[in-house]
Amino acid sequence: MNETNLGKIVVGGNHKDIIYEIMPNGCHEVTSHAANPHGYYKIRIGKKTHDIHRWLYQQETGIDLKGLDVRHKCDNNKCINMQHLEHGTRKDNVNDMVERNRQYSIVTPDIVKEIIQLHKTGLTTIDIGNRFNINRTTVSSIVNGVTWSHITGIKYANKHRKSTPHLRYIIFDKATQKWRVMIDDGKIRKSLGRYITQEEAIIVRDRYLNIS
Ligand SMILES: [Zn+2]
């Protein structure tokens, strides 16, 4: 394992950092925490144990996830790349899992290039998936630039990240009704706390980034 392919998320408190490996397809696979028998990676915060991808997603987006699932668009349970996660209803997730169970092929850069060409000819993601024995979600992740973007050059537009550039790293946390500063440079993710006003959060962020 090459050290340059590792990323770290500082959890804070006396919790251990989350370490992940950055994979060729863009997945961030957890290496610091273990999975339960169902294959879900867990993190213990205080007295509660959480699914690590779900916990991070909540931290990042501030979305109230009650009654919602956070699922992997990349079909990789180890993955904690925010760009590969989205929230949805439980029904969405079950439909996804049914498809996922049919998946038994491995995607390679050559297959990725072929998928892009076929998609340009107008073939549906389902047809393409059937051709390569992979599921539709995997195909749509590729054609939308969620995964393998370094091969395809497709830039993913995340519908959940609507923050304007001047508010980068600042998220409104609905649960606490505060402005949260979350630094994420692709390698290190670090929370700098929650603030009552947006102005305070901007000052904290700018101080960290040395912008005056
Ligand atoms: Zn992923």
Side-chain angles (χ1 to χ4, degrees):
M1 194 155 54
N2 186 333
E3 217 180 314
T4 59
N5 291 330
L6 291 179
K8 179 166 93 170
I9 297 168
V10 178
V11 180
N14 48 12
H15 301 292
K16 69 172 173 178
D17 295 338
I18 300 167
I19 309 292
Y20 56 86
E21 188 179 358
I22 302 163
M23 307 308 286
N25 72 346
C27 282
H28 294 176
E29 293 190 352
V30 178
T31 59
S32 54
H33 291 65
N36 70 4
H38 302 291
Y40 284 98
Y41 286 73
K42 297 288 182 179
I43 186 166
R44 198 172 167 82
I45 302 289
K47 286 180 180 168
K48 281 192 86 177
T49 303
H50 308 264
D51 286 341
I52 201 162
H53 70 289
R54 183 184 172 92
W55 182 79
L56 280 170
Y57 190 86
Q58 210 287 321
Q59 297 292 307
E60 171 85 2
T61 63
I63 292 167
D64 180 5
L65 295 173
K66 208 171 165 192
L68 295 174
D69 279 355
V70 177
R71 58 206 173 108
H72 287 96
K73 286 181 278 192
C74 55
D75 287 328
N76 179 357
N77 277 353
K78 275 187 188 174
C79 182
I80 53 167
N81 184 343
M82 286 301 123
Q83 306 285 342
H84 293 187
L85 298 172
E86 69 181 357
H87 62 277
T89 62
R90 188 130 305 173
K91 188 165 161 273
D92 294 337
N93 210 15
V94 169
N95 289 342
D96 241 35
M97 266 159 69
V98 170
E99 276 204 22
R100 192 151 46 217
N101 287 336
R102 295 207 313 253
Q103 180 180 359
Y104 19 82
S105 287
I106 288 172
V107 176
T108 64
D110 282 342
I111 290 176
V112 169
K113 287 173 196 161
E114 254 187 275
I115 286 172
I116 297 300
Q117 289 312 314
L118 288 170
H119 191 247
K120 279 181 186 160
T121 69
L123 230 60
T124 66
T125 52
I126 294 172
D127 288 339
I128 297 170
N130 288 341
R131 188 171 297 203
F132 295 102
N133 213 3
I134 56 179
N135 77 41
R136 178 189 54 81
T137 313
T138 304
V139 176
S140 54
S141 290
I142 293 167
V143 300
N144 292 325
V146 172
T147 54
W148 297 99
S149 58
H150 61 296
I151 301 287
T152 62
I154 298 166
K155 208 171 178 315
Y156 174 63
N158 190 335
K159 59 177 187 265
H160 299 308
R161 285 197 185 202
K162 285 190 188 133
S163 57
T164 52
H166 86 283
L167 283 182
R168 193 158 180 231
Y169 304 131
I170 294 173
I171 306 138
F172 185 68
D173 184 358
K174 271 192 199 162
T176 59
Q177 294 286 307
K178 285 181 180 165
W179 294 90
R180 181 155 213 261
V181 184
M182 175 69 95
I183 301 298
D184 183 355
D185 66 2
K187 284 238 158 183
I188 289 194
R189 275 164 40 85
K190 185 175 180 182
S191 172
L192 295 181
R194 293 179 170 85
Y195 304 89
I196 292 164
T197 66
Q198 197 184 86
E199 290 69 31
E200 284 174 281
I202 289 171
I203 291 167
V204 170
R205 174 205 59 188
D206 289 354
R207 199 179 291 150
Y208 180 86
L209 297 174
N210 283 321
I211 309 167
S212 52

